[in-house]
Every structure is written in C-alpha cells, then in structure tokens.
C-alpha cells in the first residue's frame, strides 16, 4: 500500500512500469504513431499530385505544409477544419478528464479508508475487551505478571471471553471480504500460475460454502456447533459476517453481567458504539460500489477522449509535420493514460480488469487477524505487578468531636 517518496526520482519513474500509464497505454501510443506516420505519407503522396508541386520533395519536408498551392486544396482544407475542431475538443477534454481523475481518486481513497476503518474498529473492540477482561491474582509466566481470570468453578473465564470475541471478529471480517468480489485471492501474488479456468474471485464463495466452513472447523477457527448454527440461520452466506458480528456483540455484553468483563456503563456504551460503527463500515463498502460513477458520464468521457486522441495526427500535421508522430504518441500516453488511470481507481478491487491499483484484501485480513489474535491479546495477558492497581474499599472517616 505504501511507497517511499525518496525512492521516486526522474530516472526511477521511467524504470518502473507496473501499474503506470506506460503499461496501460503503450499500445495506444504505438497505434497513434503508426497512424500519424500514415497521415504524413499520405499528405506527401497527395501533395505530389497537386499541380505546381515541387518535385522530388521528401515526405518529411516543411515545403509540403508551407507551400501556397495547398491553400485551395480539399484535403489540406479538411486538415485545417480538423485542427480547429481538435482545439475546441482539447479544452473540453482537459476540463472533463481532470474532474474525472479527481473524482475517481476520491472514490478510491474513500473505499481504502473505509477498509482501513474496519481494521480500526476491530482493533478498538479487541483492545476494549482485553483491557476490561477480569484479571487473575496469580502470577503468570512473567515474574510479577497477571493474566486473564479463570475461576475453578468455571463461572468466570475471561480468557475464553477474549478468545471467543476476537475469533468472532476475525471470522466476521474474513467472511465479509470473502462475500465481496475481489481479485486478491491471498494464495498467489497473481493468478497467472493457476489453472486457466480458475478465477481469483471464487476463493471467497468457496470459503463460505459448507466445505469451506468444515475446513475452518478443522482449523479451530469455528466450532462444529457454530458451523451448524450458521447454516441453521437459513441466511445467505453473504450474511454470515453480520451473524458473527452480532455473536461477538452478544458475547461481550453478556460478559458484563457474568463478571468476565469488568466495567461500567461507559465501557458498555463504548463497546456498542464500536460494534455499530463496524457494521456501518461493512455497509459502506457496498454503498460506495453502488454509487461510484454514473455509466453515462464514463461513456461520455471515453468518447471525447478517444476522439481527441484519434484525431491528433490529422489536427497536428499542418503545424508539426513529421513531429506529429511523436506528439500523437504523447497525446495518447497523456490523455488515454489519465482515462485508464481513472478507470483503474474506480475498479478498487481489480475485478473488472484493472488490477494495477486494486486494494489487497488479503493484506487487510492478515493485518486484522494479527491485531485481533496477537497484539492486544498478548499485551493484555501479561500485566506487570507494578502496573496493577489494588482498589481498597472506601471507609468513612470518623467525625471528630
């Protein structure tokens, strides 16, 4: 997701091509160069057929464009008309395409930070549960450390509480992305080495299938009873993330009554707020996808951009001559590049063919798993004795006579 600004230099920018406009538009640039060369050669051929033309003139000679004999020629008048139209269209494309790129990047950034916000809420919930879990007075493996409380009768088992809540949160998060079409399969960096009939977006539905759930039971990420209960809800597999989210919320709130979770009304309010915010971030991903950009606007931008790029060799010939070949390639690189970059931003998860800037869901899931199962759980399990505060009962001071 990140890169070092110091690594970006004038030379390194040209060396790097993965996910850049060079990779996206080199075919358009080459086509425009060939098309511009064809315009140059035809203009030379046509000039030689005009009465009064200079004999044996080279195809790249400036004489072709500056000769007075072309003033009343139909072909060169056509090129002049195209040049005027191209300048008007250039203004329109610059304005429209600039707005399009900006809005596409805003959309990509919104989806990205929404995905990051899901991680944040999961980390907040895990930290709250591990910090509020009842503490044991017995020393742990570290001298002077106290872990989660587990009574002999088993009526208070804060260790199990922490494991249950964090496991439900991790599975809810993983199931959410499994039910969301993405290209990031988490198996390989890309799918090129897999079977030609394999689609990376199929790994999610496979995980939510009965066989996938059985595999999770075998990995101790779900119990057999939890799997049977999920299926017994008769909900679509796409709703499993929300079932597990509610299980985590019910487990945490009920622990406040049993004494496994120690805290007052403030802790309960904060927990409920974080759970509902996590639910909102789940729904935001689908809302962003539904309202990302009207198709009519995208088609309009595509048409005016393609028209500008295709007509560049015709419009620029009378002004640039043979340099039109280079200028047309640059026009394709710039304008088609911005258009393809915009469409890549709108395809946030790489499922529509634009994989250069897709948000790596496997990275999001692995980072959330580490935070929920390792960082806060282990930190809360080892509390140095110096950090423990022993609360003594308050005594009423005797009134002095």
């Amino acid at each position: 997701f990140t890169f070092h600004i110091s690594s970006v230099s004038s030379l390194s920018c040209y060396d790097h091509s993965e996910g850049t406009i060079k990779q996206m538009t080199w075919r358009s640039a080459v086509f425009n160069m060939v098309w511009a060369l064809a315009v140059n050669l035809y203009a030379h051929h046509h000039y030689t057929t005009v009465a009064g033309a200079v004999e044996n003139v080279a195809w790249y000679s400036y004489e072709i464009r500056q000769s007075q004999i072309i003033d009343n020629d139909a072909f060169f008048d056509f090129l002049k008309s195209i040049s005027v139209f191209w300048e008007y269209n250039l203004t329109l494309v610059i304005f429209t395409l600039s707005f399009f790129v900006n809005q596409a990047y805003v959309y990509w950034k919104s989806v990205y930070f929404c995905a990051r916000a899901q991680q944040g809420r999961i980390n907040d919930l895990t930290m709250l549960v591990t910090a509020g879990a009842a503490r044991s007075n017995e020393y742990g493996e570290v001298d002077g450390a106290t872990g989660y409380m587990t009574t002999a009768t088993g009526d208070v088992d804060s260790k199990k509480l922490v494991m249950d809540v964090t496991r439900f949160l991790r599975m809810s998060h993983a199931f959410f992305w499994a039910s969301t079409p993405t290209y990031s399969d988490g198996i390989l960096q890309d799918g090129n080495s897999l079977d030609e009939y394999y689609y990376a977006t199929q790994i999610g539905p496979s995980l939510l299938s009965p066989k996938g759930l059985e595999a999770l039971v075998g990995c101790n990420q779900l119990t057999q009873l939890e799997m049977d209960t999920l299926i017994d809800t008769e909900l679509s597999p796409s709703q499993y993330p929300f079932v597990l989210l509610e299980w985590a919320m019910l487990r945490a709130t009920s622990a406040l009554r049993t004494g496994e979770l120690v805290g007052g009304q403030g802790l309960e309010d904060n927990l409920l707020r974080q759970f509902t915010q996590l639910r909102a971030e789940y729904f935001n991903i689908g809302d962003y996808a539904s309202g990302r950009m009207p198709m009519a606007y995208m088609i309009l931008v595509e048409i005016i951009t393609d028209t500008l790029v295709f007509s560049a060799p015709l419009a620029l010939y009378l002004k640039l001559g043979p340099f039109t070949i280079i200028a047309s390639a640059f026009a394709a690189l710039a304008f088609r590049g911005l258009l393809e970059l915009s469409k890549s931003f709108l395809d946030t998860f790489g499922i529509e063919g634009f994989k250069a800037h897709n948000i790596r869901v496997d990275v999001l899931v692995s980072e959330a798993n580490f935070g929920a199962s390792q960082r806060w759980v282990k930190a809360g399990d080892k509390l140095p004795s110096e950090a423990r505060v022993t609360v003594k009962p308050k005594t009423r001071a005797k009134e002095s006579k």
Side-chain angles (χ1 to χ4, degrees), residues 12 16 30 32 197 222 257 309 336 380:
S12 63
H16 185 75
V30 171
N32 247 32
Y197 301 108
L222 288 175
R257 281 73 173 170
V309 173
R336 286 293 307 177

Side-chain angles (χ1 to χ4, degrees), residues 87-113:
E87 291 178 357
Y88 283 116
N89 193 30
L90 175 63
T91 304
L92 177 63
V93 169
I94 290 175
F95 173 79
T96 307
L97 198 55
S98 299
F99 177 78
F100 188 49
V101 172
N102 179 68
Q103 291 302 308
Y105 179 65
V106 168
Y107 169 78
W108 184 92
K109 191 164 59 172
S110 299
V111 175
Y112 173 77
F113 283 116

Side-chain angles (χ1 to χ4, degrees), residues 49-212:
T49 63
V50 177
V54 178
E55 296 181 0
N56 300 324
V57 64
W59 68 271
Y60 51 82
S61 175
Y62 70 92
E63 176 67 28
I64 300 176
R65 297 177 289 115
Q66 297 184 359
S67 177
Q68 294 182 356
I69 66 173
I70 69 171
D71 290 343
N72 297 320
D73 183 79
F75 173 72
F76 288 102
D77 285 343
F78 170 74
L79 294 183
K80 292 176 184 178
S81 301
I82 292 293
S83 179
V84 174
F85 165 76
W86 193 83
E87 291 178 357
Y88 283 116
N89 193 30
L90 175 63
T91 304
L92 177 63
V93 169
I94 290 175
F95 173 79
T96 307
L97 198 55
S98 299
F99 177 78
F100 188 49
V101 172
N102 179 68
Q103 291 302 308
Y105 179 65
V106 168
Y107 169 78
W108 184 92
K109 191 164 59 172
S110 299
V111 175
Y112 173 77
F113 283 116
C114 180
R116 286 298 191 185
Q118 295 178 10
Q119 290 181 312
R121 301 295 75 74
I122 291 174
N123 277 273
D124 290 343
L125 286 166
T126 307
M127 185 174 66
L128 287 171
V129 171
T130 54
R135 316 298 306 182
S136 172
N137 292 323
E138 299 178 357
Y139 289 150
E141 296 179 0
V142 180
D143 185 26
T146 58
Y148 302 115
M149 177 183 292
T150 302
T151 59
T153 57
D155 54 343
V156 176
D157 190 350
S158 60
K159 180 72 172 181
K160 187 176 186 303
L161 162 71
V162 170
M163 293 296 102
D164 287 346
V165 173
T166 56
R167 183 167 54 83
F168 288 153
L169 288 173
R170 288 189 293 107
M171 288 296 98
S172 173
H173 186 245
F175 281 3
F176 172 78
W177 289 116
S179 62
T180 303
T182 64
Y183 182 75
S184 309
D185 50 54
I187 300 175
L188 296 175
Q189 185 69 18
D190 52 52
N192 295 332
S193 301
L194 297 175
D195 187 87
E196 59 178 335
Y197 301 108
Y198 172 85
Y199 295 96
T201 53
Q202 293 178 349
I203 189 66
S206 299
L207 184 65
L208 297 174
S209 66
K211 289 185 178 180

Side-chain angles (χ1 to χ4, degrees), residues 62 125 165 214 218 226 261 263 380 391:
Y62 70 92
L125 286 166
V165 173
E214 290 176 359
E226 290 166 354
L261 198 59
V391 180

